[in-house]
Amino acid sequence: QVQRVLLALTIPLEILQTVKGRMMQAMKKGLSRQTHAQAGVQMLPTYICSTPNGTENGEVLVVELHQNHVRVLMATLLGNGNESPHLTDKIFDMPGDIMQGTGEALFDFIAECLRQFLNGMSISDKRLPLGFVFPFSCRQTRLDKAELISWSKGFSCSDVEGKDVVQLLQSAINKQELSQVEVVALMNDTVGTMMTCSTREKPCEVAVIVDKGTNSCFMAEAQHVQMVEETNGRMCVNTEWGCFGDDGALNDILTPYDQHVDQESSNPGAKRFEKMVGSLYLGDIVRHALIALATEKVLFIGSNVTVLGTKGVLTTQQVLEIINNEEGMTKARTILEALGLRPSERDCCRVQQVCRAVVSRSAALCAAGLAAILSLICQGRGLDQLVINVAVDGELYQAHGRFSEILQSVAGMLTPECTASLVPSRDGTGLGAAMVTAVALRLVDQRHKVDQLLAPLRLTRTDLERVQALMRQEMDLGLGQETNASSSVRMLPTYVCGTPDGTGEGQGPGEGGAGEAVALLMLLCWFPAERGEFLALDLGGTNFRVLVVRLEENGIHMASEIYVIPTSIMQGTGEALFNHIIECIMDFQMKQNLMEHILPLGFTFSFPCKQLGLDQAVLLSWTKGFSASDCEGKDVVQLLREAAERKQYLSLKVVAVVNDTVGTMMSCGYDDPKCEIGLIVGTGTNACYMEEMQNVGTAEGEQGRMCINMEWGAFGDNGCLDHIFTEFDRMVDEKTINPGKQRFEKLISGMYLGEIVRHILLALVEKEVLFHDMPCATLQSRDIFKTKFLSTIEIDGLALKQVQTILKDLDLHATFEDCVLVREVCQTVSLRAAQLCAAGLAAVVEKMRESRGLSQLAVTVGVDGTLYKMHPCFSQNLQQTLHDLAPSCAVTFLQSEDGSGKGAALVAAVAVRGAE
């Protein structure tokens, strides 16, 4: 019979694994917005998004509400890593009628205790922030706003459930005329335990309380806490796991003794997990097990066991004494005899066995819950291995040494992928609450500094409308023959004068040979009958591509290779640059077995040029980091031909040169006849669009339309955008090879966003809100923070651990709080870039709509560029902002598949046809 009782109270490891799995499922349900209401574990957000970093300082008040007393505490934090906080406290006994009285009486009593405490101290009128430890289930919507869900632990004060307890306490404090005291944070004891064990060097992200009741909390990835809007960083979740099993999830391991304890409680059927784990119930579980054994005549033969029918007659403290004391058998005899029983030596031994089994089961179940949390964290952060600190507190943990051993070893067996170190809490409720309050104040101060720093980069609707209006103004100036020179937007005619309309009857070419030849390109888009092989070059950034394009019956086929252009060549002589290009072409033709072929070549040259003919383009100015000498004002095709002569490369046959933006529009027009705008957002940025010829004062002709290469990267070079530029933009601009030039491009394009972020991060370091006390010398290195890092860091769902790894590769040792802030900076910079791009595009589409006399315009934008394609949010932010700024235009975006390369090849094909 004794073995049967002990077996019932012993849970095998495989069953504990099942309990862990059920707990995980319940936690996931509690985190989900869809299933939260049905979850067996409430998973309440606490709005605590950071753990202490050691810089917290100042005086903080704490009020703790306990079962029979109120504790008021003043903590003075010195900003020294929280190593030696100064604590002053006082305990006030609570009258018995308060717990079942009115809510007003309870909070008035707490406020009176606070007033008496402060009366004994010399306090000036300075603000005193207060943290409130309220150990009951609450639904929090802010750190300082929480509605009581239900009372427990013997409390039943009226008119409190469903109300904001922070406001109730603040009102009571105000009645005491303590105007300097402000309640800034509410938490339960579990959160306080986690906080008091946490330092910057040794963050603690899980807490477990095993006291009269039991509970846990942990720092969850904020994106998984669907009950709140916050998606960045982490948030502490109060599991309220005492309710686990109320839905029947523990029925298969409940013993008859658990059932009796539950029926005797004030809340039958509720808090089933807590009733198997918490110290309030363990003594009674043992008591009912002893009743069962006495009934079967196994224990206390000849004794009157009626006393065992009285609830609470055997306490958990006595149970712990029986199993903890070195003379536990003697202690068992003393305790049992005090109850009027006459235990034998064997009885004492069996009672000790039962006590051990009940307490060990409590520890094992607690370990299963902890294992569920650890696995959930590991999965949520996308880790193979997790190393973490777990704060622990409570009567059972403190009083029974074996409890912690069982907790740690069983949790380790259930989660071999996780290594958890248990950290005993010191004054988890008092000091922990002070830490929560101090962290909240630190974050408020940090938030103010961050918002102040980033405010100039956060553009309002008015800001964007002004940029849109300025772009329109510059466009109009650029199109005028007499005003072109005064515009920062060059609006260069391309002599592409038609777009496909799906019928083969497009707009006619404009005046001049170049217009006639390039217009044939549009015919190719309608009737793609051209056949043969063509070479294409694509020069527009730090990488240079050579392509061979085969136009066949079943479509366009391409092979290509990327060649790097070293900075020394980009910024060296023009002769060296074009020599390098010819060497790349020769290398590519050799690899493709094309050295014996003379193929027509189309050249995508993505810099501002004045087009004089299909194979003539005079470079107006370098952009995107290029500054090769002796090139500006010269025909780039001729420079390429001269380099071929120097290299004795006789196979060069350049037949056409085209801007990448125009090529992108062309190649997308092949798939969508409505494509009348080209947009590039990559290393640099530019746009082109089909303008009414009557508006193009810089080219002859009044009929039809012509493609205008805007060269909008230079927008603002005349100072019209100075109000948008921040100190960070100016610092970036000053260090470029063309200060004061391409100002719009330096706000938007991939070549500069990383540098803007780097300067902002340096400013945050200077303000001591980032990488606190950590070396960050690498941030001083120009171009160390690549724009590709923005794209990676902003990926939706990317775990902060991965962001931390990215920063670690840069020798930046970031906390998770640092990672959240770095991500926010990246998001702010990339959002502004997308919004500014949208403002420019809004000016374009609205001009097209008005010029055509339409109430609604439907148009497609052919778009290319690594920033647009690779950044996870750029395209969405661009499209949403464009929709807001130009609601009368239905704009579709079509990503170009190698628009610049394919576009150049199509131009080459048309040039050959034109020659024939």
Side-chain angles (χ1 to χ4, degrees):
Q1 295 96 324
V2 173
Q3 289 301 315
R4 189 170 66 246
V5 170
L6 295 177
L7 194 62
L9 290 166
T10 304
I11 307 175
L13 194 63
E14 60 269 21
I15 300 299
L16 287 172
Q17 193 72 258
T18 302
V19 172
K20 170 202 164 184
R22 292 172 185 169
M23 178 78 88
M24 282 186 71
Q25 288 303 312
M27 288 178 170
K28 288 177 179 177
K29 278 187 175 181
L31 289 171
S32 168
R33 183 177 279 108
Q34 286 73 30
T35 56
H36 176 79
Q38 296 81 42
V41 183
Q42 295 183 58
M43 306 298 281
L44 302 172
T46 66
Y47 292 83
I48 294 167
C49 300
S50 178
T51 53
N53 69 1
T55 64
E56 292 79 15
N57 64 81
E59 292 180 325
V60 177
L61 277 171
V62 173
V63 168
E64 301 172 42
L65 178 59
H66 292 268
Q67 202 157 13
N68 51 18
H69 67 268
V70 169
R71 179 189 183 205
V72 183
L73 175 143
M74 173 78 82
T76 304
L77 304 173
L78 306 176
N80 62 352
N82 305 319
E83 290 298 321
S84 53
H86 178 69
L87 304 178
T88 305
D89 70 339
K90 187 173 182 179
I91 292 175
F92 299 85
D93 291 329
M94 187 186 299
D97 59 341
I98 291 284
M99 293 171 65
Q100 286 84 36
T102 65
E104 184 176 10
L106 170 66
F107 288 101
D108 283 347
F109 173 73
I110 295 172
E112 172 63 24
C113 295
L114 181 62
R115 186 185 63 77
Q116 289 184 31
F117 176 79
L118 293 176
N119 281 347
M121 307 179 73
S122 55
I123 301 293
S124 63
D125 290 335
K126 66 180 179 181
R127 177 185 180 228
L128 288 173
L130 182 143
F132 185 24
V133 180
F134 190 70
F136 303 95
S137 295
C138 289
R139 184 176 293 105
Q140 281 192 258
T141 52
R142 290 198 317 248
L143 189 56
D144 61 350
K145 185 176 178 63
E147 294 178 0
L148 175 63
I149 295 173
S150 61
W151 286 114
S152 58
K153 304 172 187 174
F155 280 79
S156 59
C157 300
S158 63
D159 205 27
V160 179
E161 290 182 354
K163 294 193 174 179
D164 179 7
V165 293
V166 173
Q167 186 56 49
L168 292 174
L169 177 58
Q170 188 68 61
S171 298
I173 290 171
N174 293 344
K175 280 197 283 184
Q176 294 290 335
E177 297 184 352
L178 298 172
S179 57
Q180 74 270 43
V181 177
E182 180 184 356
V183 186
V184 299
L186 178 137
M187 70 230 70
N188 66 15
D189 50 354
T190 320
V191 176
T193 295
M194 183 183 74
M195 287 300 215
T196 196
C197 293
S198 193
T199 63
R200 182 182 176 92
E201 294 73 26
K202 191 178 178 182
C204 194
E205 298 184 273
V206 184
V208 174
I209 296 280
V210 197
D211 205 76
K212 288 183 172 59
T214 183
N215 196 13
S216 61
C217 68
F218 68 99
M219 296 300 289
E221 301 300 299
Q223 61 187 347
H224 297 149
V225 188
Q226 295 180 8
M227 298 302 292
V228 299
E229 297 301 320
E230 181 61 53
T231 58
N232 277 326
R234 292 178 181 158
M235 179 176 287
C236 181
V237 172
N238 168 23
T239 68
E240 289 293 342
W241 74 5
C243 297
F244 177 54
D246 291 2
D247 58 356
L250 294 174
N251 285 357
D252 54 346
I253 61 170
L254 288 173
T255 67
Y257 329 120
D258 299 308
Q259 302 284 20
H260 289 307
V261 169
D262 179 56
Q263 289 161 14
E264 289 176 345
S265 70
S266 61
N267 55 349
K271 301 266 185 179
R272 301 310 292 265
F273 187 70
E274 182 166 280
K275 288 170 184 172
M276 299 175 78
V277 172
S279 66
L280 189 63
Y281 306 97
L282 299 191
D284 283 323
I285 296 172
V286 171
R287 179 174 61 84
H288 279 287
L290 299 184
I291 290 172
L293 290 171
T295 302
E296 295 190 52
K297 307 298 184 183
V298 177
L299 287 180
F300 313 133
I301 297 170
S303 296
N304 182 353
V305 296
T306 307
V307 66
L308 293 177
T310 304
K311 179 183 176 183
V313 73
L314 186 63
T315 67
T316 298
Q317 182 58 42
Q318 291 171 324
V319 169
L320 294 174
E321 288 174 1
I322 289 171
I323 62 177
N324 272 357
N325 200 304
E326 289 182 4
E327 299 179 358
M329 291 282 287
T330 304
K331 198 70 181 176
R333 181 179 294 279
T334 303
I335 291 168
L336 294 170
E337 287 178 347
L339 294 175
L341 302 170
R342 297 195 301 275
S344 66
E345 193 74 19
R346 178 177 287 183
D347 289 341
C348 292
C349 179
R350 289 173 172 174
V351 168
Q352 192 178 50
Q353 285 179 300
V354 172
C355 289
R356 281 187 181 135
V358 169
V359 174
S360 295
R361 185 185 69 157
S362 169
L365 284 171
C366 222
L370 175 58
I373 288 176
L374 297 178
S375 290
L376 206 62
I377 292 174
C378 201
Q379 290 178 13
R381 298 180 185 179
L383 302 175
D384 296 324
Q385 296 286 322
L386 174 70
V387 179
I388 199 165
N389 294 316
V390 179
V392 282
D393 202 0
E395 179 184 3
L396 274 177
Y397 178 83
Q398 292 171 353
H400 181 39
R402 280 280 294 153
F403 193 97
S404 62
E405 292 175 24
I406 296 170
L407 177 62
Q408 185 150 21
S409 64
V410 173
M413 287 187 280
L414 294 175
T415 53
E417 74 278 14
C418 303
T419 302
S421 300
L422 302 186
V423 184
S425 171
R426 52 189 179 116
D427 193 8
T429 51
L431 179 58
M435 297 307 304
V436 171
T437 308
V439 167
L441 295 173
R442 172 173 62 79
L443 293 179
V444 167
D445 180 60
Q446 176 178 302
R447 174 45 47 195
H448 174 71
K449 290 177 179 177
V450 171
D451 286 343
Q452 196 174 36
L453 198 75
L454 296 181
L457 291 103
R458 290 173 171 154
L459 303 180
T460 65
R461 173 70 178 262
T462 303
D463 292 330
L464 294 172
E465 287 174 344
R466 185 177 175 189
V467 172
Q468 179 182 350
L470 287 167
M471 177 68 86
R472 174 62 183 272
Q473 176 181 302
E474 294 294 297
M475 289 171 68
D476 289 339
L477 290 171
L479 288 170
Q481 187 171 11
E482 295 179 0
T483 55
N484 176 268
S486 64
S487 173
S488 61
V489 182
R490 295 178 186 269
M491 305 298 283
L492 302 170
T494 65
Y495 300 95
V496 173
C497 298
T499 55
D501 60 10
T503 66
E505 297 177 1
Q507 303 282 339
E511 301 294 324
E516 184 175 357
V518 180
L520 286 172
L521 170 59
M522 312 315 296
L523 296 176
L524 178 66
C525 294
W526 307 318
F527 304 110
E530 198 65 54
R531 303 288 181 268
E533 286 185 322
F534 304 88
L535 282 178
L537 309 184
D538 182 7
L539 178 63
T542 52
N543 291 333
F544 165 64
R545 288 187 310 151
V546 186
L547 309 89
V548 60
V549 182
R550 297 175 177 89
L551 303 180
E552 300 173 355
E553 285 187 20
N554 59 348
I556 300 175
H557 303 276
M558 293 185 293
S560 66
E561 183 153 347
I562 295 175
Y563 295 89
V564 175
I565 302 181
T567 304
S568 58
I569 291 181
M570 289 170 59
Q571 299 173 8
T573 65
E575 187 173 304
L577 173 62
F578 283 94
N579 284 350
H580 179 68
I581 293 171
I582 291 296
E583 288 166 4
C584 293
I585 297 172
M586 294 170 68
D587 177 75
F588 179 78
Q589 283 199 261
M590 190 175 296
K591 290 176 179 176
Q592 295 289 326
N593 294 318
L594 295 172
M595 285 302 287
E596 304 303 319
H597 297 70
I598 299 178
L599 301 179
L601 184 146
F603 187 9
T604 300
F605 189 74
S606 307
F607 300 91
C609 289
K610 183 177 181 181
Q611 197 99 21
L612 302 178
L614 192 53
D615 62 349
Q616 288 179 281
V618 174
L619 175 64
L620 297 175
S621 62
W622 284 118
T623 58
K624 306 172 194 175
F626 280 75
S627 61
S629 62
D630 204 27
C631 294
E632 292 181 358
K634 294 189 176 180
D635 177 6
V636 294
V637 175
Q638 186 57 35
L639 292 174
L640 191 64
R641 287 171 176 155
E642 290 171 0
E645 289 179 13
R646 286 194 296 272
K647 292 292 178 179
Q648 296 183 337
Y649 173 56
L650 305 179
S651 302
L652 183 69
K653 183 183 177 183
V654 183
V655 296
V657 61
V658 67
N659 180 274
D660 58 344
T661 320
V662 178
T664 295
M665 185 185 76
M666 300 276 196
S667 65
C668 290
Y670 190 89
D671 300 312
D672 184 348
K674 289 183 180 178
C675 184
E676 296 186 85
I677 301 173
L679 173 66
I680 300 288
V681 195
T683 305
T685 183
N686 193 16
C688 69
Y689 72 103
M690 298 303 297
E691 177 60 86
E692 305 299 306
M693 278 296 299
Q694 61 191 13
N695 296 333
V696 184
T698 53
E700 296 181 10
E702 293 288 326
Q703 300 301 312
R705 295 170 186 155
M706 177 180 285
C707 179
I708 298 296
N709 169 20
M710 294 177 65
E711 289 297 341
W712 77 3
F715 176 41
D717 287 4
N718 58 1
C720 67
L721 286 183
D722 282 358
H723 64 287
I724 293 293
F725 278 81
T726 67
E727 59 178 306
F728 311 113
D729 300 312
R730 293 186 183 94
M731 285 188 279
V732 171
D733 179 51
E734 287 168 3
K735 296 297 182 182
T736 61
I737 60 172
N738 56 347
K741 304 294 184 183
Q742 298 295 114
R743 302 294 296 276
F744 193 57
E745 182 167 271
K746 289 171 185 173
L747 298 173
I748 291 176
S749 71
M751 188 167 187
Y752 306 99
L753 298 191
E755 267 297 275
I756 297 171
V757 168
R758 183 180 71 85
H759 281 288
I760 296 171
L761 298 184
L762 282 171
L764 291 170
V765 169
E766 188 178 336
K767 289 184 178 291
E768 299 184 343
V769 295
L770 187 65
F771 307 136
H772 180 73
D773 284 343
M774 291 292 174
C776 46
T778 51
L779 271 184
Q780 299 291 342
S781 302
R782 187 177 165 208
D783 294 326
I784 193 73
F785 201 94
K786 307 294 184 186
T787 298
K788 68 179 181 181
F789 296 152
L790 277 74
S791 297
T792 306
I793 288 171
E794 292 185 55
I795 293 173
D796 188 33
L798 185 71
L800 288 177
K801 187 71 178 177
Q802 293 165 276
V803 177
Q804 197 175 39
T805 301
I806 293 169
L807 295 174
K808 190 175 181 181
D809 290 342
L810 297 174
D811 289 330
L812 298 171
H813 300 282
T815 65
F816 292 112
E817 199 176 312
D818 292 333
C819 294
V820 173
L821 189 48
V822 170
R823 179 183 282 171
E824 182 181 355
V825 171
C826 292
Q827 289 170 334
T828 301
V829 170
S830 68
L831 174 61
R832 183 187 68 156
Q835 288 176 328
L836 287 171
C837 192
L841 210 49
V844 173
V845 295
E846 278 295 308
K847 185 175 195 319
M848 292 173 69
R849 183 184 67 80
E850 292 174 15
S851 296
R852 299 177 187 186
L854 302 174
S855 58
Q856 294 286 326
L857 173 71
V859 69
T860 296
V861 178
V863 60
D864 205 349
T866 51
L867 184 59
Y868 183 91
K869 289 183 173 180
M870 304 303 291
H871 192 281
C873 311
F874 192 95
S875 60
Q876 181 181 347
N877 290 333
L878 166 61
Q879 292 175 35
Q880 181 58 57
T881 307
L882 177 60
H883 176 75
D884 294 342
L885 295 176
S888 298
C889 300
V891 183
T892 303
F893 286 79
L894 180 60
Q895 281 196 32
S896 169
E897 295 302 323
D898 194 22
S900 53
K902 184 163 53 172
L906 291 172
V907 172
V910 170
V912 171
R913 179 192 289 179
E916 291 172 351

